[in-house]
Amino acid sequence: MLLTILGNSAGGPYHGRPFTAQVLQVEQHLFLIDCGEGTQMQLFHCGVRFDRCNQIFISHLHGDHVFGLMGIITNWCLKKRTAPLQIFSPPGVRELVESTCRVCQVRIPYPIEFVEVNTERSTRVFENNQVEVWTVPLAHRVPTTGWLFREKIKLRNMRADKIGEYSLHYSLIPGIKAGNDLHLPDGRVIPNAELTTPPPASRSYAYCSDTAPSDSVAEVVRQVDLLYHEATFTSEHTEEAAISWHSTAEQAASIAARAHAGRLLIGHFSGRYKNTEQLLAEAKCIFENTDIAEAGMCVEV
Amino acid sequence: MLLTILGNSAGGPYHGRPFTAQVLQVEQHLFLIDCGEGTQMQLFHCGVRFDRCNQIFISHLHGDHVFGLMGIITNWCLKKRTAPLQIFSPPGVRELVESTCRVCQVRIPYPIEFVEVNTERSTRVFENNQVEVWTVPLAHRVPTTGWLFREKIKLRNMRADKIGEYSLHYSLIPGIKAGNDLHLPDGRVIPNAELTTPPPASRSYAYCSDTAPSDSVAEVVRQVDLLYHEATFTSEHTEEAAISWHSTAEQAASIAARAHAGRLLIGHFSGRYKNTEQLLAEAKCIFENTDIAEAGMCVEV
């Protein structure tokens, strides 16, 4: 899993910080997460070959998370994309896209499936061979969901020496990698543990923006390897965070600690903070393994 | 008149070129012309204090000219703007804004007047004390208009020596600057030409994008001081320009020549041109006083 941060700003594009958007690469698949204004520029700027993206996940319908979507959709129109696209989101994105297309006379030459997701309880909304994607219900002013990406359990590693030792036909290997024991012609059964070594670890990434701090978020993302959690404010503005259904850096870190996350990235910073030192310092007091989600950074999960 | 180019790209944000948008300052008034995705970022980047803008002029409803509009509108919402806003455009912008506001639950705290303009014949759509704005019907795939900004005739300059010579009361000066003769108590009449010098020249600026080359455009913008004309293609792609209702750099220059414009800026470049040298060279062959409308440049008209 490779995460690329495209932007981290809340509300306005202050201090040169682009709006919120991220790309998660899992094997050969690219998932676009949120899509603030300017996302297509950031994709170019970061060198992401986003034509390979077939799934977009929108957390909620506030402009700083969705106003870049039509730009991406029309960019693909100009490139004569034919591959189907899925857009996962709370209700409303279909209407947004369709009304814009109607007014602007955009004809989309590829199919789009709009998947309206449950923002009330965590639900699996997507899976392929490598990964499952679950919603993470968030606490915001409008229906909002985070996204939890969990790699599936990977195939065990076949021990090369055992292939020779038992003269294994290649057709048996996928089954053994999947966990089967080996039944020999002479009746012996070789247990899988002797033939394989454990698979590589399955990684997980959770994206939680925008939200007030929520115990149920910590529960859903429990033991996630990498957690992105919004941290719009410093502790000085805790009251403003509560009023606007956002989190402080401390609160984001508390969620990471309660979830026993491996690592925390914070973002979605208010324009009142020209630099992010104070936000990082406050988070690190509670959860040491925290970093700023800087636009342009790539993080291996 | 001071023109700031915010972007010059057609279709996609290729080679780091931002989408089309411009700001024209006339005295203390700021007019925003077109509003591609990322316009608010470019306004910040160029240091334009755009909160003072009360009029936006949209040429047509293609995404590369209008997808930044909602970002500007919501930016002003967050700043609790109260000043009325006028948006001049072909039909459709009201529906675009209202449907987006409905889906995204945006409540705009300031009044917006949507002025749908005539894209078939040149019409005056706005005036204040300093300037008039006229539509410039363009030839594109959807209803499209350029914009012609003409400063009004300015007040003549009062000669300081004449104030003393005739012991002029200050209340008479505005009338004299407006062209009145001076009637002295002894019956003499001092002609205005003796009391004043000619006013500063009234300047004009025309914005023409997107369009196929059009004789009627040259007619409407006749003798404009500064003409911005789209030049999406080089002459190598003249056929593609015709099919897509765009212009080549040569064609843009021909319009400038036919209009007897003072100076030409070309922009709206296709992503196929990594640099703009060929476009500029082709235009200059026909109209020498041509420049590239580079993002970030300021041009005094």
Side-chain angles (χ1 to χ4, degrees):
Chain A
M1 277 188 174
L2 184 70
L3 179 70
T4 303
I5 306 295
L6 301 173
N8 60 8
S9 189
Y14 303 111
H15 318 302
R17 296 199 286 255
F19 285 114
T20 298
Q22 304 184 354
V23 175
L24 184 70
Q25 181 175 351
V26 184
E27 306 284 338
Q28 75 279 31
H29 298 283
L30 281 188
F31 303 111
L32 182 57
I33 307 167
D34 274 347
C35 210
E37 183 179 352
T39 295
Q40 60 172 324
M41 288 79 139
Q42 284 299 100
L43 286 163
F44 276 103
H45 185 67
C46 295
V48 178
R49 294 177 54 199
F50 66 100
D51 294 350
R52 292 184 295 140
C53 172
N54 296 328
Q55 281 81 29
I56 298 177
F57 296 86
I58 301 290
S59 64
H60 65 302
L61 277 94
H62 280 163
D64 53 342
H65 295 254
V66 75
F67 281 172
L69 181 61
M70 277 309 305
I72 303 266
I73 286 174
T74 52
N75 185 291
W76 281 326
C77 293
L78 293 171
K79 290 175 176 165
K80 305 197 190 317
R81 176 190 173 117
T82 56
L85 175 68
Q86 291 179 301
I87 303 177
F88 301 83
S89 71
V93 169
R94 174 195 288 273
E95 186 182 345
L96 185 66
V97 171
E98 289 184 349
S99 63
T100 305
C101 286
R102 189 173 57 248
V103 176
C104 296
Q105 300 185 32
V106 177
R107 278 176 298 277
I108 301 175
Y110 53 91
I112 301 182
E113 181 188 1
F114 296 92
V115 184
E116 294 187 355
V117 305
N118 190 323
T119 60
E120 298 295 322
R121 65 183 175 77
S122 184
T123 312
R124 189 178 64 193
V125 294
F126 175 81
E127 67 173 322
N128 62 18
N129 288 338
Q130 285 85 35
V131 72
E132 293 183 343
V133 186
W134 294 71
T135 58
V136 183
L138 300 178
H140 198 44
R141 295 195 302 280
V142 297
T144 304
T145 181
W147 307 100
L148 173 61
F149 299 80
R150 282 196 186 284
E151 281 187 320
K152 291 183 173 177
I153 292 172
K154 298 174 182 174
L155 294 176
R156 295 180 67 82
N157 295 309
M158 184 76 222
R159 285 179 55 178
D161 58 331
K162 298 295 174 182
I163 296 174
E165 183 178 336
Y166 295 110
S167 304
L168 289 182
H169 190 264
Y170 73 88
S171 64
L172 293 171
I173 292 176
I176 293 171
K177 290 182 74 168
N180 294 348
D181 296 333
L182 173 64
H183 295 262
L184 293 174
D186 63 10
R188 280 183 298 159
V189 176
I190 314 299
N192 186 278
E194 187 188 313
L195 302 166
T196 62
T197 57
S202 295
R203 299 293 177 171
S204 56
Y205 169 62
Y207 170 90
C208 300
S209 185
D210 297 357
T211 188
S214 155
D215 283 337
S216 68
V217 168
E219 198 54 46
V220 173
V221 305
R222 196 166 176 75
Q223 294 189 316
V224 74
D225 292 297
L226 176 63
L227 171 64
Y228 171 91
H229 196 289
E230 72 127 294
T232 309
F233 297 103
T234 62
S235 57
E236 185 189 345
H237 301 110
T238 302
E239 198 175 331
E240 187 156 346
I243 291 168
S244 59
W245 294 79
H246 284 297
S247 298
T248 66
E250 276 182 1
Q251 290 165 339
S254 293
I255 298 296
R258 268 181 276 170
H260 301 281
R263 183 180 174 189
L264 173 64
L265 291 178
I266 54 173
H268 198 264
F269 306 122
S270 162
R272 75 191 63 198
Y273 311 114
K274 188 165 182 184
N275 73 61
T276 52
E277 284 170 21
Q278 180 68 16
L279 290 148
L280 183 60
E282 291 185 5
K284 274 179 169 288
C285 279
I286 289 169
F287 190 85
E288 171 56 29
N289 198 8
T290 302
D291 285 293
I292 297 294
E294 296 281 6
M297 81 191 274
C298 293
V299 183
E300 196 143 8
V301 183
Chain B
M1 279 189 172
L2 184 70
L3 178 71
T4 303
I5 306 295
L6 301 173
N8 59 8
S9 190
Y14 304 110
H15 319 302
R17 295 201 283 256
F19 286 113
T20 298
Q22 304 184 354
V23 175
L24 184 70
Q25 181 176 349
V26 184
E27 306 283 338
Q28 75 279 32
H29 298 282
L30 281 187
F31 303 110
L32 181 57
I33 306 166
D34 274 347
C35 208
E37 182 178 353
T39 296
Q40 60 171 321
M41 289 78 141
Q42 284 299 100
L43 286 163
F44 275 105
H45 185 66
C46 296
V48 178
R49 294 177 56 199
F50 65 100
D51 294 351
R52 291 185 295 140
C53 171
N54 296 329
Q55 281 82 28
I56 298 178
F57 297 86
I58 301 291
S59 64
H60 65 303
L61 278 93
H62 280 164
D64 53 341
H65 295 254
V66 73
F67 282 172
L69 181 61
M70 277 308 305
I72 303 264
I73 287 175
T74 53
N75 183 293
W76 281 327
C77 292
L78 292 171
K79 289 176 176 163
K80 305 199 192 313
R81 175 189 175 116
T82 56
L85 176 68
Q86 290 180 301
I87 302 177
F88 300 83
S89 71
V93 168
R94 174 194 288 273
E95 186 183 344
L96 185 67
V97 171
E98 289 184 348
S99 63
T100 305
C101 286
R102 189 173 58 247
V103 176
C104 295
Q105 300 184 28
V106 176
R107 277 178 298 277
I108 300 175
Y110 53 90
I112 300 183
E113 180 188 0
F114 296 93
V115 183
E116 295 187 355
V117 304
N118 190 325
T119 61
E120 299 295 323
R121 63 183 177 79
S122 184
T123 313
R124 189 179 63 192
V125 294
F126 176 81
E127 66 173 322
N128 61 19
N129 287 339
Q130 285 84 35
V131 71
E132 292 183 344
V133 186
W134 294 71
T135 58
V136 183
L138 300 179
H140 198 42
R141 296 194 300 282
V142 296
T144 303
T145 181
W147 306 101
L148 172 61
F149 298 80
R150 283 197 185 283
E151 282 186 319
K152 293 183 172 177
I153 293 171
K154 298 174 184 174
L155 294 176
R156 297 179 64 84
N157 295 307
M158 184 74 222
R159 284 178 56 177
D161 58 330
K162 298 294 172 181
I163 296 175
E165 183 177 338
Y166 296 108
S167 305
L168 288 182
H169 191 264
Y170 72 89
S171 63
L172 293 171
I173 293 176
I176 293 172
K177 290 179 75 166
N180 294 348
D181 296 333
L182 173 63
H183 296 261
L184 293 173
D186 63 10
R188 279 184 298 158
V189 176
I190 314 299
N192 187 275
E194 185 189 315
L195 302 165
T196 62
T197 56
S202 295
R203 300 292 175 171
S204 56
Y205 169 62
Y207 170 89
C208 299
S209 185
D210 297 357
T211 188
S214 157
D215 283 338
S216 69
V217 167
E219 199 53 46
V220 173
V221 305
R222 195 165 177 75
Q223 295 190 313
V224 72
D225 292 297
L226 177 64
L227 170 64
Y228 170 91
H229 196 289
E230 73 126 295
T232 309
F233 296 103
T234 62
S235 56
E236 185 189 344
H237 301 109
T238 302
E239 199 175 332
E240 186 157 348
I243 292 168
S244 59
W245 294 79
H246 283 296
S247 299
T248 65
E250 276 182 1
Q251 291 166 338
S254 293
I255 298 296
R258 266 181 278 171
H260 301 282
R263 182 179 175 190
L264 172 65
L265 291 178
I266 55 172
H268 199 264
F269 306 122
S270 161
R272 76 191 62 199
Y273 311 114
K274 189 165 180 184
N275 74 60
T276 52
E277 284 169 22
Q278 180 67 18
L279 291 147
L280 183 59
E282 291 186 5
K284 274 177 169 289
C285 279
I286 291 169
F287 190 84
E288 170 57 29
N289 198 9
T290 302
D291 285 293
I292 297 294
E294 296 280 5
M297 81 191 274
C298 291
V299 183
E300 196 143 7
V301 183

